DNA sequence: ACCTGAACACCGTTCAAGT
DNA sequence: ACCTGAACACCGTTCAAGT
């Protein structure tokens, strides 16, 4: 009997035009979400697409261009709340939560954004919406700009913080090591930390709830009694 | 005439014990601050130390261990304000500014922290100090823990945001490209963004000032009238 | 045009060897 | 013990070639 199907097929030539930018970006996002930024490799990407490594280069100039396109696509999927509720404060909260949710659901996208330098590809509609709401809430032009930047910084920082924490905790035995380190702390030198360690842990257990509390505080501080 | 000194010296064997953990960390930080995280390479590090690549491995298990040690050392250099001024709110501000300054002065350290998963090596004394001040300001245990996390998240987010922005702007022509992109934006679709673009730019020009404004807002929101 | 493998210049790290 | 170069398994990307 002749071997009609080789055991280790050297992969047949991929059919013409079966590859395109969208399929590549889908695969990239899947790779990033499932296996993290360090698994996002040109070779892994091509393999997941069932194609030779260099096939991808027919559709993108290189890895950087793919990274930017991934970031762009993800930023565009941020869901905005319906407009015109008459409560700019509540709407503002929802917009921020939308941004936070995206980064929480796609942690490696956040990593990607921090790695690649900034480009003009920000989430335009999100920015516009936030600025509009801040003005509507009674802030001056400069105050609105300041408030917007502050809210974005807090949101990005929170998502990043939680991502890092989650990555560490799902790792083996890190949780125990941290716990041991805290227990070993001299309570006369670090009284507040030792005393509040349980609260510190508990509060970070639910990242989204913690984010909302901080968000409320920041919005309160920014809008005040207005 | 015989060649006594070869043109390209193959580097003499480094004298015994001339290398140690501290010298390695110094070189690593210099490398990170001067040439960015992507230039932080085992080979570059060894070359800067005038030593074979593998010599470093006699003092650290690998690159990850060096990264962690660098982060640890930098976190320990955060300057805390003198205690007992009787104004916890002002002291809290100073502590946060100290953290912000460290990350602004060592941007690649921040990148390092976001890359490496979290460990128990946080800035213990900073955390303890902040928690103490928050309690002193009248917050409950849980509120203090929440406030501390929120402040750290905002601080990290701000530093990261500015770092990214700075890296992009010092690059060639990115500034013009962003400006052009904004000018091309349809002002009927993004009225607030188009209108407030100058303020958005201006406000981010001075990252530290912007950080302080947001910090004041967050502290106000967290501590309220207390 | 789209896709291919071989090859190049990097990277972190293992290993056996020198002193 | 401390330091060395060669070698290994990766990486992104260039290139000449196939269809």
């Amino acid at each position: 009997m002749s071997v009609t199907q080789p055991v280790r097929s050297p992969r047949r030539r991929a059919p013409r035009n079966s590859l395109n930018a969208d399929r590549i970006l889908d695969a990239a996002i899947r790779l990033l979400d499932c296996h993290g930024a360090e698994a996002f490799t040109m070779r892994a990407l091509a393999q997941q697409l069932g194609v030779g490594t260099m096939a991808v280069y027919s559709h993108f100039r290189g890895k950087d261009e793919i990274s930017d396109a991934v970031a762009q696509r993800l930023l565009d999927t941020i869901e905005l709340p319906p407009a015109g509720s008459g409560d700019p404060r509540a709407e503002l909260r929802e917009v921020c939560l939308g941004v936070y949710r995206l980064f929480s659901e796609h942690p490696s996208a956040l990593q990607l954004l921090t790695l690649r330098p900034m480009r003009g590809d920000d989430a335009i509609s999100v920015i516009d919406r936030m600025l509009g709401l801040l003005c509507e809430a009674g802030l001056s032009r400069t105050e609105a700009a300041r408030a917007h930047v502050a809210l974005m910084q807090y949101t990005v920082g929170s998502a990043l913080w939680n991502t890092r924490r989650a990555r560490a905790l799902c790792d083996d035995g890190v949780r125990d090591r941290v716990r041991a380190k805290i227990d070993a702390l001299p309570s006369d030198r670090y009284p507040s930390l030792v005393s509040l360690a349980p609260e510190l842990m508990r509060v970070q257990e639910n990242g989204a709830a913690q984010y909302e509390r901080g968000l409320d505080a920041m919005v309160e501080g920014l809008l005040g009694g207005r």
Side-chain angles (χ1 to χ4, degrees), chain A:
Chain A
M1 224 212 229
S2 70
V3 179
T4 50
Q5 240 178 337
V7 179
R8 187 182 62 81
S9 90
R11 200 187 57 254
R12 277 164 159 42
R13 179 167 258 267
R16 205 76 164 191
N17 292 334
S18 63
L19 199 59
N20 57 54
D22 272 332
R23 276 199 56 209
I24 292 175
L25 292 183
D26 285 341
I29 292 174
R30 197 142 41 102
L31 206 55
L32 282 163
D33 285 342
C34 295
H35 300 97
E38 72 283 355
F40 174 38
T41 283
M42 283 293 123
R43 286 168 159 91
L45 184 59
Q47 194 172 23
Q48 191 164 108
L49 288 161
V51 105
T53 306
M54 295 316 299
V56 181
Y57 284 81
S58 301
H59 301 265
F60 290 95
R61 206 182 297 277
K63 197 185 180 184
D64 287 351
E65 200 171 288
I66 299 179
S67 299
D68 289 336
V70 165
Q72 184 59 67
R73 167 187 288 207
L74 286 178
L75 287 178
D76 286 341
T77 67
I78 295 175
E79 283 196 46
L80 294 177
S85 70
D87 186 351
R89 212 145 153 158
E91 277 182 44
L92 183 64
R93 237 185 83 104
E94 282 310 309
V95 174
C96 291
L97 271 168
V99 177
Y100 176 82
R101 268 189 225 107
L102 172 81
F103 287 140
S104 298
E105 284 161 22
H106 301 278
S108 41
L110 189 54
Q111 235 176 316
L112 218 74
L113 276 178
T114 68
L115 252 56
R116 301 274 315 134
M118 191 153 36
R119 299 169 66 89
D121 61 354
D122 305 308
I124 311 282
S125 53
V126 173
I127 301 177
D128 182 68
R129 185 68 178 280
M130 267 182 72
L131 287 172
L133 289 169
L134 289 165
C135 290
E136 201 182 325
L139 295 191
S140 75
R141 296 168 58 86
T142 300
E143 285 172 333
R146 293 216 110 101
H148 166 257
V149 173
L151 285 170
M152 289 301 283
Q153 289 172 335
Y154 168 62
T155 302
V156 168
S158 294
L160 198 68
W161 187 278
N162 291 338
T163 296
R164 242 193 118 216
R165 196 181 135 84
R167 227 187 321 157
L169 288 189
C170 80
D171 241 22
D172 47 341
V174 178
R175 186 162 224 135
D176 297 338
R177 193 146 47 81
V178 172
R179 164 66 61 197
K181 216 157 195 166
I182 288 177
D183 286 342
L185 242 42
S187 65
D188 55 333
R189 224 172 120 66
Y190 307 109
S192 307
L193 173 50
V194 170
S195 161
L196 293 180
E199 278 83 0
L200 227 36
M201 288 291 199
R202 190 163 45 78
V203 146
Q204 292 181 83
E205 215 73 16
N206 185 342
Q210 164 66 26
Y211 170 73
E212 290 197 53
R213 299 301 199 94
L215 178 61
D216 288 337
M218 177 146 259
V219 169
E220 176 63 28
L222 290 169
L223 297 186
R226 256 168 290 215

